[in-house]
Amino acid sequence: MKKIFNTIAVVLALGAAASCSMFKLDNFEGPNAQVNGRLVDAKTGDLIGVEAAFSQEIDWANVDWSTWTFPTITVSKGSMIVNELGWKNKDGVEVYQDQRWFVRFDGRYRNNLVFAGDYKVLLKELPCYENDQVMSLKAGSNTVDVEAVPFCRIVDPKISYDAAAGKVKATFKVELGDPTKANAIMNLKFCGNIQLFVGATVFNMVADADAGAKKDGFSWGNFVMPACNPGEEVTLEIDSSLPQNADLFKYKQDRYFRIAAMASGNGYNTQQAYNFSPIYKVSGDFSKIEEYKWSE
């Protein structure tokens, strides 16, 4: 009996010790820095807008044309991948852990829970050329703009409403970010939503069947037929009378529109990311059209 009581006492002591350790705090301090900034076009100084979403895309690099098999991949098109520098494993080899800092639709970003230190910024999930750079953050508040070259730019966008035809129109041109790299404008879309979040592959209420609202290029081997040429004026139209677009035009309410263009070629922009115009707000009666200004 004494042996049993001794065993119980030992178990209780171990349990008490364990329970006490559960309430001990670790000795690591929490995040001591905040950072905000913009994804900026290195040539124009304009914000580089993004889609800020994950989407399912056809993995064109692995399509099996013999069996017409089209595998899909999940693609992020709106986040910076950030690696904090200075961490090493037991062998002294530097190790990295990907962090994703999401970029807003207008190209701004913010992270209020980071640690002071140096960070490598990777742009491979954004609609611009990779230009890895190091961001140094001090304790407290930091403002850091990230410069990049977009795959293409929407130039001179104009949004209008044709009351007689019942169509919202977008007139614009497209400029290549670097013609020696992605050198063909392969897809154009005029996108719309009843919310101010407007994308090309998500948050787009314009029907795929509305042929006037998009223009697709074509490629087969070395043969490329682009959707438009750089500097060519293009007009896309969203038809409000189509039943497929009924949800976008059903009620008298503000609507939001955005132009999207995809440039690719020479092995660049294989993730098929779109570059965007600003978002435009159109009043419910179509009498007022203005660029939407995002608050900080």
Side-chain angles (χ1 to χ4, degrees):
M1 180 65 71
K2 183 178 180 182
K3 184 176 180 181
I4 294 175
F5 281 123
N6 287 339
T7 302
I8 293 173
V10 170
V11 171
L12 291 175
L14 290 174
S19 64
C20 290
S21 64
M22 290 175 60
F23 293 99
K24 289 183 179 179
L25 299 176
D26 63 43
N27 60 348
F28 293 101
E29 296 182 359
N32 62 349
Q34 309 85 42
V35 60
N36 70 89
R38 307 173 302 159
L39 182 65
V40 178
D41 188 324
K43 177 182 176 181
T44 67
D46 295 331
L47 291 170
I48 299 176
V50 303
E51 192 147 28
F54 289 92
S55 63
Q56 287 292 321
E57 302 282 331
I58 295 176
D59 183 6
W60 291 103
N62 293 301
V63 169
D64 186 345
W65 293 104
S66 63
T67 60
W68 290 90
T69 301
F70 298 88
T72 60
I73 53 176
T74 301
V75 179
S76 170
K77 296 175 180 173
S79 58
M80 295 187 294
I81 296 179
V82 180
N83 298 151
E84 186 176 2
L85 303 178
W87 293 93
K88 297 181 180 181
N89 63 16
K90 61 182 178 60
D91 299 318
V93 178
E94 195 154 17
V95 294
Y96 306 100
Q97 178 66 48
D98 285 353
Q99 302 177 32
R100 279 184 169 82
W101 296 0
F102 283 96
V103 179
R104 299 193 327 181
F105 279 73
D106 66 337
R108 301 176 193 269
Y109 76 94
R110 175 179 291 277
N111 190 336
N112 288 337
L113 294 172
V114 294
F115 293 91
D118 294 330
Y119 293 81
K120 186 176 183 180
V121 180
L122 310 176
L123 305 181
K124 58 186 177 182
E125 292 188 353
L126 291 165
C128 49
Y129 293 104
E130 292 187 38
N131 175 23
D132 299 347
Q133 46 202 284
V134 174
M135 175 188 299
S136 296
L137 303 181
K138 66 181 189 313
S141 180
N142 299 264
T143 298
V144 182
D145 288 345
V146 177
E147 287 194 351
V149 176
F151 297 124
C152 62
R153 303 178 183 92
I154 310 295
V155 181
D156 298 330
K158 297 179 180 63
I159 309 298
S160 61
Y161 178 66
D162 184 338
K167 294 181 178 180
V168 182
K169 297 185 176 183
T171 302
F172 59 96
K173 302 172 186 176
V174 182
E175 174 184 284
L176 293 171
D178 185 344
T180 68
K181 295 179 179 177
N183 60 356
I185 303 160
M186 296 305 298
N187 300 93
L188 303 171
K189 287 187 177 184
F190 188 22
C191 314
N193 199 353
I194 56 175
Q195 304 293 331
L196 58 87
F197 307 106
V198 187
T201 58
V202 291
F203 304 114
N204 181 15
M205 295 179 67
V206 180
D208 286 339
D210 193 346
K214 63 179 182 177
K215 192 175 182 184
D216 296 329
F218 176 81
S219 64
W220 188 273
N222 294 325
F223 177 76
V224 177
M225 182 67 71
C228 73
N229 294 314
E232 174 188 349
E233 187 170 87
V234 179
T235 297
L236 298 179
E237 304 173 336
I238 298 174
D239 191 342
S240 65
S241 67
L242 288 180
Q244 301 96 319
N245 290 330
D247 288 341
L248 180 59
F249 296 99
K250 185 183 297 183
Y251 302 108
K252 187 176 180 180
Q253 60 185 337
D254 293 339
R255 302 172 187 88
Y256 301 86
F257 297 90
R258 198 181 196 191
I259 304 162
M262 180 198 299
S264 62
N266 295 325
Y268 291 95
N269 194 19
T270 56
Q271 74 267 37
Q272 303 173 2
Y274 283 90
N275 288 101
F276 293 92
S277 73
I279 293 174
Y280 292 88
K281 179 180 177 181
V282 178
S283 63
D285 60 1
F286 301 99
S287 64
K288 188 175 182 180
I289 300 174
E290 60 185 349
E291 180 181 338
Y292 180 80
K293 298 295 186 182
W294 294 79
S295 59
E296 184 57 51

